[in-house]
Amino acid sequence: IFASLNSDNPSSDIMETVLWYLVVLTIRFQTIGKRRQGILEKQCAKIAQNIAYSRKINLSLLKSEIESILTTDEEFLNDFRKYQEVSMKRALYILSSIEYSNNKEHDYKKLWNQVDEVLAPSSNVTVSNIIAKKPSPEWLKLIAQEDIDSFGITSNIANFVLVNKSINNKNKPDDFSNLKSILSESDFWTTKYVSQFQIWEVDSFLHRSDTLRKVAVKIWKLN
């Protein structure tokens, strides 16, 4: 970013593209991909050095240099299925990005504005888990603790939903039938989608995971 700003052509349009490329790289390689940090640091240092020496941002070259270490779509889909998240802020960013993309023609500038509103301190939107970290006996009638542990369900991104802050873990139902009724009234398609399942079991969780990742792979791409 500093190298680009110090170049001779840091126009607003060019800088927006640079920033988007870095977002894609961070999400696919680091946040969801969990790839080696050393590889990322070396390549970013190389890119910054090239910009500094040439005094010019060459977007075509920048894209090529990022693609050289970027995970493929197939790798990203596999990474997303296993994606565990402990930060509610990151989960909120990921889910709101998927929510507002919704398989439509991707416009990352519009997406940024919509997601920024969700992430703002004044926002009434947050994330909540479907299955709590300590599932109630009612939940364990639907899905075995062994399966929850095996798939890492409680911290998997597919176990989180966008909700209004009026719904939190303290007043959330501890059974799926009542939770389903609440989620069915949501304005968020990614949340309402959960209510279509009769029960929340491993197949339901995997089905939602597949739905989210198929949208995600279309969002975080180099344009």
Side-chain angles (χ1 to χ4, degrees):
I1 292 172
F2 283 133
S4 297
L5 287 173
N6 288 325
S7 69
D8 294 332
N9 63 329
S11 69
S12 296
D13 286 342
I14 288 178
M15 284 305 300
E16 283 180 343
T17 301
V18 170
L19 290 172
W20 178 248
Y21 284 177
L22 293 178
V23 167
V24 173
L25 177 60
T26 301
I27 293 295
R28 291 182 73 135
F29 189 95
Q30 186 177 29
T31 305
I32 293 175
K34 311 296 183 188
R35 296 302 197 272
R36 290 173 56 190
Q37 185 74 16
I39 295 175
L40 182 65
E41 291 176 353
K42 288 180 180 178
Q43 189 64 5
C44 284
K46 175 186 173 184
I47 292 171
Q49 187 179 55
N50 289 342
I51 293 173
Y53 283 166
S54 65
R55 300 290 304 170
K56 184 177 180 181
I57 304 169
N58 183 326
L59 290 178
S60 178
L61 179 59
L62 175 62
K63 181 179 180 181
S64 175
E65 290 175 327
I66 289 178
E67 284 177 335
S68 69
I69 65 167
L70 198 66
T71 54
T72 65
D73 284 355
E74 183 177 356
E75 288 172 329
F76 180 76
L77 287 169
N78 288 332
D79 292 338
F80 196 92
R81 174 175 280 176
K82 298 176 289 184
Y83 174 37
Q84 307 279 309
E85 188 53 79
V86 296
S87 166
M88 294 300 98
K89 195 76 171 181
R90 281 195 296 267
L92 183 59
Y93 167 74
I94 296 294
L95 285 177
S96 58
S97 295
I98 294 173
E99 172 70 30
Y100 291 115
S101 176
N102 195 11
N103 281 319
K104 298 175 184 176
E105 184 177 348
H106 181 47
D107 180 350
Y108 69 82
K109 295 179 183 179
K110 182 179 179 180
L111 182 66
W112 268 347
N113 293 331
Q114 291 175 307
V115 173
D116 277 349
E117 291 181 8
V118 173
L119 297 177
S122 58
S123 171
N124 189 41
V125 183
T126 187
V127 290
S128 180
N129 45 14
I130 299 171
I131 301 179
K133 290 185 177 180
K134 293 184 178 179
S136 69
E138 292 299 319
W139 275 108
L140 295 177
K141 292 178 183 178
L142 301 179
I143 185 167
Q145 184 68 56
E146 179 181 350
D147 288 331
I148 292 175
D149 295 339
S150 176
F151 287 93
I153 289 178
T154 57
S155 56
N156 189 286
I157 193 67
N159 188 52
F160 295 109
V161 288
L162 294 172
V163 296
N164 292 326
K165 288 183 178 178
S166 58
I167 301 175
N168 55 49
N169 290 331
K170 291 182 179 180
N171 61 21
K172 191 177 68 176
D174 60 2
D175 66 290
F176 184 65
S177 59
N178 287 318
L179 177 62
K180 174 181 174 178
S181 177
I182 293 175
L183 300 185
S184 68
E185 299 177 359
S186 175
D187 292 330
F188 302 116
W189 77 265
T190 51
T191 300
K192 192 170 185 175
Y193 180 84
V194 175
S195 67
Q196 74 171 309
F197 298 101
Q198 293 301 314
I199 59 174
W200 192 254
E201 55 185 352
V202 172
D203 286 346
S204 311
F205 161 77
L206 292 176
H207 195 287
R208 182 168 189 258
S209 176
D210 284 345
T211 300
L212 296 179
R213 70 195 185 113
K214 286 175 183 176
V215 179
V217 75
K218 296 177 181 179
I219 298 172
W220 289 287
K221 294 180 75 74
L222 300 179
N223 298 325

